[in-house]
Amino acid sequence: MARVETTTPQGLPDVETGRRLFHTMALIRRFEERTEEQYTRARIGGYCHLAIGEEAATVGAIDVLEDGDCLFASYRDHGTALAVGSEPAAVMAELFGKETGVAHGRGGSMHLLDTGRRFFGGWGIVGGHLPIAVGAGLALDQTGQQNAVLCQFGEGASNTGAFHEALNLAAVWELPVVFQVINNQYGMGTSVDQASAEPEIYKRGAAYRMHGERVDGNDVLAVREAVGRLLAEARNDRRPSLLETITYRHRGHSVADAGKVYRTPEEISAWKRKDPITRFGALLTEHGLLSADDIEEIWKQVGAEVKEAIDEALAAAFPDVDSLYEHVYGDPRWREQFARMHAGAPFGERGEERSWPT
């Protein structure tokens, strides 16, 4: 039932597609490099997880989504939002906690979303979004929509109970969900070999009589071909599948992790030589689809786009504190319920009863 594919599919993209794929990957790379810089300037609060090195696995999959398809992702989701078409300024504003952010400053780095493009969120609980993606697949099936769900998650999520429950139910009910494992080799600081009795995650599809497949996640064309084919099968045949895309994160688990204690410099260097953007750029120039000048111009363009995004995000306003609890509870008396609570205060503590720093 399960099989592995490790070769690049035959055929090259046309010039427009090649340029689009390269531009999107370059935009994500530059955006995340500048995000790391903004975090060190204390402009981004909370957790922040970068996916530098994983761009092909993200972009190749999302590029073949069709109107009406649904997308779910984990908390390493900056590239997800940019690949689905969210405005860079709105994504950066969300990281800054600004009102103009994709979640109006309420989600931050780990909880980006763009419901207009049917991107239903980055999710902070490891594996927690898999059952929700199955629910979306059920909704599509019950309403007769010929669309599919793409659910992206890290290999660490495959060791959670939610993974088993989600894949089992999707297979039993024959739901149109493609489960994409973005295997970047490490769950925080633990390698997949140390954490998984079966480290080749795609093989687990056989336990659910589900098609399983592995491709090179640093080859944007291989990812694009595989996801496009599996999404088509999901839409047409209502059949779920498990796709493992092998890639590598160049940075640590989060910005708080240097990523050097549990990995050798030699390992990191070896994977950087397989950089998906450099690799795709070389392919495009080798076959005359883009020139070296074209590549350089794209890097200049995305640099300017990200700078503009930062400038817009810095200029945007923060949300009004009085709106903190909006969209959280359905009870129309929420203002009354929370009136006695100062923002950030322990439950039940009245803000007027103590002096708060300004």
Side-chain angles (χ1 to χ4, degrees):
M1 185 68 70
R3 66 187 177 93
V4 59
E5 295 286 351
T6 58
T7 57
T8 301
Q10 297 298 313
L12 293 167
D14 56 42
V15 173
E16 181 182 352
T17 301
R19 179 182 290 273
R20 182 182 68 249
L21 293 172
F22 187 88
H23 181 276
T24 305
M25 289 196 292
L27 173 63
I28 293 170
R29 175 67 60 87
R30 192 63 78 233
F31 185 97
E32 293 221 290
E33 289 173 343
R34 294 301 304 277
T35 292
E36 188 174 34
E37 172 191 301
Q38 298 307 302
Y39 193 92
T40 63
R41 296 188 177 189
R43 291 170 174 170
I44 300 172
Y47 295 104
C48 185
H49 304 82
L50 305 176
I52 293 175
E54 303 177 23
E55 294 86 358
T58 299
V59 173
I62 292 174
D63 191 68
V64 290
L65 288 172
E66 296 182 355
D67 290 343
D69 290 340
C70 302
L71 174 63
F72 293 82
S74 68
Y75 49 77
R76 203 178 298 276
D77 58 352
H78 307 157
T80 315
L82 293 172
V84 85
S86 300
E87 290 297 326
V91 178
M92 188 64 75
E94 187 60 36
L95 303 188
F96 288 1
K98 298 298 186 73
E99 177 64 36
T100 55
V102 291
H104 303 292
R106 291 165 171 79
S109 169
M110 298 172 69
H111 304 286
L112 304 175
L113 81 165
D114 193 330
T115 57
R117 294 178 171 85
R118 304 197 81 164
F119 169 36
F120 296 113
W123 293 78
I125 303 300
V126 174
H129 61 297
L130 274 72
I132 301 172
V134 171
L138 177 62
L140 293 175
D141 195 60
Q142 292 290 302
T143 55
Q145 298 180 57
Q146 289 299 117
N147 292 106
V149 178
L150 175 63
C151 180
Q152 299 178 324
F153 53 97
E155 80 285 346
S158 68
N159 293 326
T160 67
F163 173 87
H164 161 72
E165 295 174 6
L167 269 69
N168 184 68
L169 200 58
V172 169
W173 286 349
E174 299 180 333
L175 299 177
V177 184
V178 175
F179 298 95
Q180 183 192 1
V181 185
I182 299 181
N183 184 349
N184 64 18
Q185 315 294 315
Y186 289 92
M188 296 189 74
T190 305
S191 72
V192 63
D193 292 326
Q194 292 174 306
S196 301
E198 176 47 84
E200 295 182 86
I201 309 302
Y202 78 97
K203 292 181 178 179
R204 300 187 186 186
Y208 311 97
R209 295 186 177 180
M210 181 185 297
H211 173 77
E213 186 173 332
R214 170 187 271 191
V215 297
D216 181 352
N218 280 2
D219 184 337
V220 68
L221 298 182
V223 175
R224 188 171 183 268
E225 186 280 329
V227 175
R229 170 168 39 82
L230 296 177
L231 281 173
E233 292 178 2
R235 297 185 198 103
N236 300 328
D237 303 329
R238 318 313 278 176
R239 189 166 65 218
S241 57
L242 176 64
L243 176 68
E244 182 181 10
T245 48
I246 304 296
T247 184
Y248 195 81
R249 54 173 166 80
H250 295 179
R251 299 295 198 272
H253 173 70
S254 71
V255 290
D257 169 28
K260 298 178 180 179
V261 174
Y262 50 88
R263 306 188 295 184
T264 66
E266 292 76 19
E267 177 185 306
I268 297 172
S269 295
W271 276 98
K272 283 186 176 181
R273 289 194 292 272
K274 303 175 185 177
D275 186 282
I277 304 177
T278 302
R279 176 178 174 177
F280 189 53
L283 180 72
L284 294 175
T285 54
E286 178 184 350
H287 291 275
L289 296 174
L290 292 179
S291 67
D293 288 342
D294 292 331
I295 297 292
E296 183 178 355
E297 180 60 29
I298 290 173
W299 280 113
K300 288 181 180 179
Q301 289 174 0
V302 298
E305 287 180 66
V306 176
K307 181 182 184 304
E308 183 179 352
I310 293 171
D311 291 342
E312 286 189 31
L314 287 173
F318 287 102
D320 190 328
V321 175
D322 289 340
S323 68
L324 180 62
Y325 299 105
E326 288 181 0
H327 316 300
V328 177
Y329 297 97
D331 191 329
R333 298 180 303 146
W334 68 268
R335 288 187 181 277
E336 175 188 340
Q337 294 173 8
F338 289 105
R340 65 182 183 276
M341 295 175 62
H342 190 282
F347 179 77
E349 183 172 297
R350 296 177 181 274
E352 65 271 14
E353 291 179 354
R354 59 174 294 176
S355 175
W356 293 90
T358 59

